[in-house]
Amino acid sequence: MTHEVDPHSCQRTPEAIRTALQRRPDWLQGFEQDWLSAAADFDHSALDAVTDKWFPFACACATPGYLDEVERTVTRMAQGETKGMVFRDADGNAYDADNRPIDAGGSG
């Protein structure tokens, strides 16, 4: 099963982003650092930029199952278990883990 990030899984507010990022403490720390830096200058546009930057990360955390699937994939790859994995380039062309082109069941 392939999950996609749900862009509606999190509200675009600092509080909602902070709550969602609790799933990944390292990301939460990055958000907090960026937020405090922007807040120290009382720069509203900088605060908006921080919200924009971290919103996709928050949605990834808030989408049920998404990070679990990513973490399983990373673990498999780290263990060298790439059989059956399909990787795509920016044009949608499919490749195996050894970067050999494959026919992944049609595109179109």
Side-chain angles (χ1 to χ4, degrees):
M1 174 185 274
T2 300
H3 291 88
E4 292 186 19
V5 172
D6 178 1
H8 305 291
S9 63
C10 183
Q11 293 181 357
R12 192 182 216 100
T13 66
E15 297 78 18
I17 291 170
R18 189 174 289 111
T19 297
L21 291 178
Q22 290 179 15
R23 169 78 161 74
R24 287 289 309 260
D26 54 332
W27 291 356
L28 177 59
Q29 182 180 10
F31 170 76
E32 293 289 350
Q33 288 173 347
D34 288 352
W35 185 261
L36 291 174
S37 178
D41 295 332
F42 300 104
D43 185 343
H44 190 27
S45 63
L47 292 170
D48 288 344
V50 171
T51 300
D52 291 344
K53 172 185 175 181
W54 287 99
F55 179 69
F57 292 88
C59 288
C61 289
T63 298
Y66 180 77
L67 285 185
D68 295 332
E69 182 176 327
V70 170
E71 290 166 353
R72 281 191 300 272
T73 300
V74 168
T75 298
R76 277 186 63 196
M77 291 178 71
Q79 295 171 347
E81 297 175 20
T82 58
K83 184 175 180 171
M85 287 186 173
V86 176
F87 303 88
R88 297 195 181 272
D89 64 16
D91 297 322
N93 300 309
Y95 297 86
D96 68 9
D98 295 318
N99 204 32
R100 291 183 299 243
I102 59 174
D103 178 10
S107 60

